[in-house]
């Protein structure tokens, strides 16, 4: 059992003495006080638990209890009284008394209550520590990037996190950081001490998803042997993250919409409305508007969710952040793998820069992780990134036909195709061909394509 500092407050010396002996025997450090004023002085010196008599010479227990809670709401208070009325007991519990014991009491019972109370605080502190340590990785600075897009994104996340907005929609391709953004929003909001609950709508069959989200009553369906609280209830005061919300089936969409609109829902098989306060963050890498047009996503739900849309840009739209991201993961994996890789060579960085990153930041992390696991040198070079070799191969993989080719015709054909695909935009056509603006302009003129392009 853990050792704690306990204050015994009673004007009867005999009672103080009995409690003191018993609790000291259990290994605690025990202090005593005769009056309410005396008790508050000792409390300010720092105690874990107070055994407080209701009837004191200068004041009453409930007043002292209230003061103690003002000093430190974590201090446990057990009230002892011979004059308990239901009203005082209820009032004391409301103010935050841990327990109410009747006098005369059994010393063993009091000792057991003290032990339980201390265990409760220990657990409570542990949970709080754990939450704090979990929250740490989700500071805004966890988002790597100094590009305009990333700076704007961080600003928007900051605003939304601090706002009372109850619904947020995160959109963006796979690997752009929607999960990360959702956690950052939660852990930097006033809800951070309450739960963050997360569910992937596409990963769970429809019927199960409904009861996971909304809970169910006993007997609501064959397997429902017991009443169960859903995620929304468990997350009360906190955040529910609905990942891949675009995949949610229409029946549930209606129920979710109702919840978003009036904050109430019924458990599956339930009769009465349950009201909770949660922020719902939806995420999707699908084009939700397209899903609405296809008729698989409710338009009204889309508009309800889209009140606060946050779009995460694909990595290719802010490539200037790539070097910073590579460094971030080199640092991270140096620590994890106990290596001392210093970075990537200029040739590798050029290759990484030109690669399209369809898997966005997640793919960068995976590529760097793999390179760092296998490398034996201090600098990562192109051969440490097989993804670049595969990419280069796709480009070089046009095999020379046995009858040969006319190289300038092939070049002309590729330039024409690139211009067609980019709608005549020379800059975009140049990117498709790995050329700069001057190089494409030269070829457009050389092949007499001026009219086609603008
Ligand atoms: N801007 C960023 N800075 C640092 N790390 C990032 C950034 N964006 C994403 N990441 C990291 O990339 C990985 C993938 O991000 P995340 O899981 O949030 O993507 P997602 O958008 O939820 O993808 P999916 O649609 O596939 O679920 C995570 O390890 C995340 O921490
Ligand atoms: Mg995700």
């Amino acid at each position: 059992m853990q050792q704690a500092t306990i204050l015994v407050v009673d004007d009867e010396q005999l009672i103080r003495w009995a409690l003191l002996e018993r609790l000291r025997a259990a290994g605690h450090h025990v202090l005593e006080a005769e009056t309410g004023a005396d008790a508050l002085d000792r409390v300010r010196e720092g105690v874990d638990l107070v055994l407080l008599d209701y009837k004191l010479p200068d004041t009453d227990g409930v007043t002292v209890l209230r003061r103690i809670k003002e000093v430190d709401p974590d201090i446990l208070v057990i009230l002892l009284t011979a004059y308990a009325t239901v009203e005082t007991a209820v009032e004391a519990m409301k103010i935050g008394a841990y327990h109410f014991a009747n006098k005369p009491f059994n010393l063993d019972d009091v000792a057991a209550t003290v032990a339980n109370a201390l265990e409760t605080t220990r657990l409570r502190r542990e949970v709080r520590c754990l939450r704090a340590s979990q929250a740490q990785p989700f500071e805004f600075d966890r988002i790597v990037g100094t590009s305009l897009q990333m700076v704007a994104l961080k600003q928007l996340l900051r605003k939304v996190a601090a706002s009372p907005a109850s619904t947020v929609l995160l959109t963006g391709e796979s690997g752009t950081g929607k999960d990360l953004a959702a956690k950052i929003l939660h852990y930097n909001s006033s809800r951070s001490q309450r739960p963050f609950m997360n569910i992937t709508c596409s990963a769970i069959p429809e019927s199960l998803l409904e009861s996971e989200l909304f809970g169910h009553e006993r007997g609501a369906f064959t397997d429902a042997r017991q009443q169960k609280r859903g995620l929304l209830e468990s997350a009360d005061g906190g955040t529910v993250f609905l990942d891949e919300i675009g995949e949610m089936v229409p029946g549930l969409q209606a129920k979710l919409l109702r919840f978003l609109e009036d904050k109430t829902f019924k458990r599956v098989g339930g009769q009465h409305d349950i009201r909770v306060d949660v922020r719902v963050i939806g995420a999707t890498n699908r084009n939700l508007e397209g899903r609405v047009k296809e008729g698989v996503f409710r338009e009204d739900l889309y508009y309800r969710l889209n009140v606060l849309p946050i779009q995460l840009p694909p990595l290719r739209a802010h490539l200037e952040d790539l070097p910073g991201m590579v460094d971030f993961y080199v640092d991270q994996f140096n620590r994890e793998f106990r290596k001392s890789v210093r970075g990537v060579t200029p040739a590798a960085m050029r290759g990484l820069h030109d690669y399209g990153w369809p898997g966005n930041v997640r793919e960068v992390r995976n590529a760097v992780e793999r390179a760092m696991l296998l490398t034996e040198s201090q600098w990562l070079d192109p051969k440490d990134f097989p993804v670049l070799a595969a990419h280069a191969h796709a480009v070089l993989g046009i095999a020379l036909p046995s009858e040969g080719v006319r190289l300038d015709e092939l070049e002309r054909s590729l330039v024409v195709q690139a211009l067609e695909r980019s709608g005549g935009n020379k800059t975009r056509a140049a990117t498709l061909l790995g050329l700069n603006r001057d190089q494409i302009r030269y070829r457009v003129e050389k092949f007499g394509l001026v009219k086609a392009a603008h």
Side-chain angles (χ1 to χ4, degrees):
M1 200 182 69
Q2 58 175 332
Q3 209 188 356
T5 303
I6 299 176
L7 173 65
V8 175
V9 189
D10 202 307
D11 57 339
E12 276 183 59
Q13 201 199 354
L14 197 63
I15 291 182
R16 285 205 310 275
W17 177 80
L19 287 167
L20 217 83
E21 288 291 298
R22 183 69 181 76
L23 294 169
R24 278 192 182 145
H28 298 297
H29 178 53
V30 189
L31 311 169
E32 36 183 330
E34 271 179 61
T35 62
D38 208 6
L40 285 168
D41 285 343
R42 317 277 343 223
V43 160
R44 288 196 189 91
E45 292 162 21
V47 301
D48 301 300
L49 185 145
V50 182
L51 285 168
L52 180 62
D53 186 23
Y54 182 77
K55 201 165 169 291
L56 293 167
D58 54 342
T59 176
D60 65 275
V62 172
T63 309
V64 179
L65 166 65
R66 199 172 274 130
R67 293 266 170 76
I68 292 176
K69 290 286 166 181
E70 281 164 14
V71 174
D72 180 353
D74 275 355
I75 297 174
L76 295 157
V77 179
I78 299 172
L79 270 166
L80 308 169
T81 178
Y83 316 93
T85 61
V86 175
E87 287 77 30
T88 43
V90 168
E91 197 191 348
M93 291 315 222
K94 265 196 199 146
I95 302 169
Y98 175 82
H99 191 76
F100 212 92
N102 281 321
K103 271 178 167 179
F105 48 76
N106 174 314
L107 273 179
D108 286 339
D109 288 350
V110 172
T113 308
V114 166
N116 280 338
L118 291 173
E119 180 64 7
T120 312
T121 3
R122 191 184 63 78
L123 289 174
R124 205 184 289 152
R125 284 206 183 115
E126 230 174 78
V127 169
R128 198 174 301 152
C129 268
L130 221 74
R131 280 213 188 108
S133 70
Q134 266 197 336
Q136 269 228 325
F138 301 115
E139 295 294 317
F140 290 98
D141 288 346
R142 172 64 183 74
I143 298 176
V144 179
T146 51
S147 61
L148 285 178
Q149 290 96 317
M150 285 291 118
V151 170
L153 173 70
K154 278 189 238 187
Q155 259 172 7
L156 182 57
L157 287 173
R158 250 179 229 283
K159 272 195 203 146
V160 173
S163 81
S166 60
T167 314
V168 181
L169 179 65
L170 299 170
T171 59
E173 290 177 14
S174 182
T176 48
K178 297 184 294 295
D179 267 74
L180 180 62
K183 289 182 183 133
I184 288 177
L185 280 177
H186 173 75
Y187 286 111
N188 292 283
S189 72
S190 58
R191 302 171 173 273
S192 62
Q193 296 303 309
R194 306 289 307 150
F196 174 86
M197 300 269 185
N198 178 337
I199 195 163
T200 304
C201 302
S202 60
I204 300 176
E206 177 184 351
S207 55
L208 219 64
L209 180 60
E210 181 172 13
S211 83
E212 279 297 307
L213 261 182
F214 300 102
H216 59 70
E217 295 296 342
R218 194 169 157 211
F221 45 88
T222 328
D223 287 335
R225 289 200 195 87
Q226 256 161 19
Q227 182 197 65
K228 187 183 140 184
R229 293 162 55 134
L231 236 54
L232 288 174
E233 263 175 274
S234 308
D236 196 11
T239 306
V240 168
F241 178 46
L242 301 176
D243 206 359
E244 300 186 22
I245 196 165
E247 315 297 315
M248 189 179 262
V249 294
L252 275 186
Q253 289 175 25
K255 200 162 172 179
L256 177 63
L257 177 64
R258 176 174 172 231
F259 173 68
L260 294 179
E261 278 180 344
D262 54 18
K263 303 279 165 256
T264 63
F265 63 92
K266 291 187 173 72
R267 293 191 187 127
V268 177
Q271 299 296 319
H272 67 282
D273 281 339
I274 295 172
R275 175 173 293 272
V276 294
D277 164 33
V278 301
R279 171 182 273 175
V280 172
I281 303 180
T284 179
N285 52 30
R286 296 272 212 141
N287 174 358
L288 266 195
E289 230 174 332
R291 304 276 291 164
V292 171
K293 288 205 181 96
E294 283 168 42
V296 286
F297 202 81
R298 290 180 68 112
E299 194 172 11
D300 44 9
L301 177 57
Y302 170 66
Y303 286 122
R304 188 68 195 78
L305 285 169
N306 210 32
V307 170
L308 246 178
I310 300 181
Q311 198 167 10
L312 290 104
L315 181 52
R316 62 183 173 283
H318 58 110
L319 270 178
E320 63 264 46
D321 289 326
L322 180 66
M325 284 178 179
V326 171
D327 285 348
F328 172 79
Y329 286 120
V330 167
D331 280 350
Q332 177 177 324
F333 292 116
N334 267 335
R335 264 176 277 126
E336 248 175 65
F337 303 156
R338 294 178 199 285
K339 289 210 168 182
S340 42
V341 170
R342 302 179 52 188
V344 300
T345 61
M349 190 46 89
R350 273 197 301 279
L352 294 175
H353 199 269
D354 291 344
Y355 176 66
W357 300 111
N360 296 297
V361 188
R362 179 184 293 119
E363 194 179 9
V364 175
R365 186 196 63 197
N366 293 348
V368 174
E369 179 178 18
R370 182 185 187 286
M372 301 254 316
L373 262 177
L374 300 179
T375 190
E376 272 158 22
S377 79
Q378 289 199 324
W379 293 95
L380 304 174
D381 66 14
K383 73 170 174 2
D384 292 314
F385 296 96
V387 64
L388 299 186
H391 177 64
H393 197 72
V395 174
L396 301 172
I398 302 166
L400 181 65
S402 52
E403 67 279 13
V405 291
R406 291 276 312 270
L407 191 57
D408 58 341
E409 274 181 19
L410 178 64
E411 189 184 6
R412 183 178 197 279
S413 152
L414 290 171
V415 173
V416 170
Q417 288 182 53
L419 285 167
E420 278 172 5
R421 200 170 298 172
S422 62
N425 181 319
K426 271 188 262 181
T427 314
R428 256 189 281 148
T431 314
L432 284 171
L433 297 169
L435 301 176
N436 63 33
R437 265 190 79 82
D438 287 338
Q439 289 168 327
I440 188 109
R441 202 173 294 141
Y442 164 74
R443 283 169 178 77
V444 166
E445 280 169 24
K446 178 171 108 181
F447 296 126
L449 302 172
V450 187
K451 280 202 198 88
H454 46 274

